[in-house]
Structure formats: structure tokens, C-alpha cells
Amino acid sequence: MSTPPPPGFSGYPVQPGFPPPAPARRPVVVWDLVTSIILLVFAVVVAAILTFAAFFLAFASDPCGASTVCDTDRMGIGFVIALFGPGVVTLITVVVTVVLLIVRRISFWVPIAGILLAVGVWVGGAALVISGVPGASV
């Protein structure tokens, strides 16, 4: 027996006027595929929980009234960021992960970064809401 040919070797020489043979595709890394899918499902669950939790930020406006003047514009912007930010980050995470899986690159790190970024966006939006109430703290 002889050694196997290198990847992309068809056994025939390249003829003038014809394109060279297509290079061999990378193999599928099964552990990365499984880990990425599990982490993507977890990222969607985290985004759903954060979106649900954003509705409770409306209670931050309870002390606002005649005696306490709140910055409702700042609170509204923070609420929108906390409500839609995690979903947008998770959607971008899913797209990037799928593209990396299609081109067969290591992609398990993208959902982890996406989860952390989604939580960070929610916390930033919540901090913006809370900062609109004078005298409020976390």
C-alpha cells in the first residue's frame, strides 16, 4: 500500500484551459457543532428571560410624580435598550454562529460572547432607566 494522496489531489495533472480541482473541504468538528447548538438554545432562553425582565423596569417610574421629577426620556431609552437589545444581540449571535458552522470554523465561542453581551446590554439599559430617577440606586 502507498500513502494517501494529499487533499485536493485528483490524480490528474492540471490541463491548460481547465480550472484546477476544487480544494477539499474542512471536516466537520462534531464537538463544536453540538456545543454551538446547545449554547445557541441557551442564548435564546437567556434573551427571552431578559426581555421578560425588562417589563419590570417600568416599576422604576413609581416614585415619579409631582414631588419627584424624573427624566422620562432617559428612562424610555433605557427601557427600549433593555427590551430589544438582548434579542438583537442574540439574533446577530445566531447568524454569526451559523455562518461559522457553514464554513466549518470553530464557533462555540460566539454564543458565549453573545450571552455575555446580551446580559451587558440589558444591564446597561436597566442602569439607564434607574439613572432617570433622582435619588434611586441599585
Side-chain angles (χ1 to χ4, degrees), residues 3-137:
T3 60
F9 179 73
S10 65
Y12 299 104
V14 176
Q15 299 295 325
F18 292 100
R25 290 193 64 175
R26 295 173 186 220
V28 175
V29 182
V30 178
W31 67 265
D32 180 55
L33 177 68
V34 173
T35 306
S36 296
I37 291 172
I38 291 170
L39 286 171
L40 281 177
V41 170
F42 184 65
V44 170
V45 169
V46 168
I49 291 170
L50 292 174
T51 301
F52 179 72
F55 288 110
F56 291 101
L57 292 174
F59 292 123
S61 66
D62 285 349
C64 300
S67 63
T68 304
V69 179
C70 296
D71 187 356
T72 55
D73 290 336
R74 181 186 305 177
M75 293 174 69
I77 291 171
F79 178 74
V80 168
I81 290 172
L83 184 65
F84 294 115
V88 170
V89 169
T90 303
L91 180 64
I92 293 169
T93 299
V94 169
V95 169
V96 170
T97 303
V98 168
V99 167
L100 286 177
L101 286 173
I102 288 173
V103 297
R104 297 183 180 178
R105 300 276 185 181
I106 299 296
S107 62
F108 75 93
W109 61 272
V110 177
I112 295 171
I115 291 168
L116 295 175
L117 187 59
V119 170
V121 166
W122 188 90
V123 168
L128 204 56
V129 170
I130 293 170
S131 72
V133 180
S137 62

